[in-house]
Amino acid sequence: TLTYIGEYSFINTGLRSIVIPDNVTYIGRAAMERCYDLTECVLSENLKTIPVGALQFTSLSTFTIPAKVEVIAAQLPGSLAEIYSLATIPPSLLDKGIIPDNDCPIYVPSSAIDAYRNAPIWSECADRIQPIPGGGAGGDSGGPDNWE
């Protein structure tokens, strides 16, 4: 059973889409970095950290942070038009360059809006933080199109 994706596993490949199964609990640094054609990425619901370089230089337009993620060290791609965080406790951001400075909305659980708006680094984009449309996330963490 796959539980780990190693460092640099898919770096600079033609990867276009990936669904990381829920039994994966660890993704290594730069696992999908420079996958310029990557437009869809669904992370494991059991992931706790999004490591440095994990998604840098991809073409994602929508990204969902799974509910159990506690730390984000990866700079999220500047191509993002929407960010969804399913975590009710804002994940720690290790650098203020992690959230793209492109005014994309950041959707979070309605019960956590104040926590995100007051959390370190998240507070710098407080005006972009909004409740998840429809009130939440049923289904998988692939984004709003997959929510019930």
Side-chain angles (χ1 to χ4, degrees):
T1 302
L2 179 69
T3 59
Y4 173 91
I5 294 177
E7 293 184 357
Y8 312 106
S9 292
F10 302 104
I11 194 168
N12 208 22
T13 65
L15 187 68
R16 293 177 185 214
S17 175
I18 189 167
V19 176
I20 298 176
D22 289 340
N23 48 310
V24 172
T25 57
Y26 179 84
I27 295 176
R29 137 186 242 123
M32 293 164 277
E33 184 176 330
R34 298 186 191 281
C35 289
Y36 299 106
D37 297 327
L38 184 64
T39 58
E40 180 183 15
C41 177
V42 178
L43 296 178
S44 164
E45 290 183 13
N46 293 307
L47 199 62
K48 295 198 180 209
T49 300
I50 300 174
V52 171
L55 300 163
Q56 200 165 4
F57 307 113
T58 63
S59 297
L60 297 172
S61 60
T62 299
F63 182 66
T64 299
I65 300 163
K68 293 180 182 176
V69 169
E70 298 171 355
V71 176
I72 302 175
Q75 180 179 2
L76 298 180
S79 59
L80 289 176
E82 300 175 313
I83 298 170
Y84 293 82
S85 180
L86 305 183
T88 55
I89 298 172
S92 295
L93 302 176
L94 298 187
D95 185 284
K96 63 180 172 180
I98 288 173
I99 301 295
D101 188 22
N102 65 359
D103 296 326
C104 70
I106 301 167
Y107 298 106
V108 304
S110 59
S111 63
I113 288 177
D114 288 339
Y116 276 84
R117 288 181 178 164
N118 293 304
I121 302 176
W122 290 101
S123 63
E124 295 179 24
C125 28
D127 59 328
R128 296 163 48 193
I129 296 172
Q130 304 172 33
I132 294 172
D140 67 26
S141 62
D145 294 338
N146 295 321
W147 294 349
E148 297 171 349

